Amino acid sequence: GDIVLLAKPVTLTEGDRVTLTTDVPVATDGTSKPEKLLYAVSLPPVHGQIEHINYPGVPISSYRQLDVVAQKVSYVHDNSHGAGKESLR
């Protein structure tokens, strides 16, 4: 079936971290098990990285909706100047 992904912008300053919650990315595929959805980071962020909170400093390339619900995934800005807007894919 179709997958729907809704996302809201988040504003960060250099060095900030934001925990991904279902208020930021939330997806559904029409099944009865949305917690099994897998996010794959196909284009890593230029000015930071996605991390699992249990492994700070280690970038990840995928995570599950269940991790988002449990607030175990975060984006960390890397302190680069003039980063401007960035999106995750």
Side-chain angles (χ1 to χ4, degrees):
D2 294 331
I3 294 176
V4 176
L5 177 65
L6 303 173
K8 294 180 184 176
V10 174
T11 302
L12 297 174
T13 56
E14 297 170 10
D16 279 353
R17 168 187 303 267
V18 64
T19 299
L20 302 184
T21 66
T22 54
D23 289 339
V24 179
V26 62
T28 182
D29 68 351
T31 69
S32 62
K33 299 191 185 250
E35 68 277 1
K36 293 195 177 208
L37 286 174
L38 177 69
Y39 291 87
V41 181
S42 60
L43 185 60
V46 176
H47 301 288
Q49 62 189 28
I50 305 293
E51 300 177 354
H52 191 281
I53 62 165
N54 291 346
Y55 304 101
V58 179
I60 58 174
S61 59
S62 65
Y63 54 93
R64 297 196 176 278
Q65 178 81 2
L66 188 58
D67 294 324
V68 174
V69 171
Q71 298 183 358
K72 293 190 175 205
V73 179
S74 63
Y75 167 78
V76 181
H77 192 284
D78 69 0
N79 290 326
S80 59
H81 297 284
K85 292 184 178 182
E86 178 164 67
S87 61
L88 307 176
R89 291 187 182 175

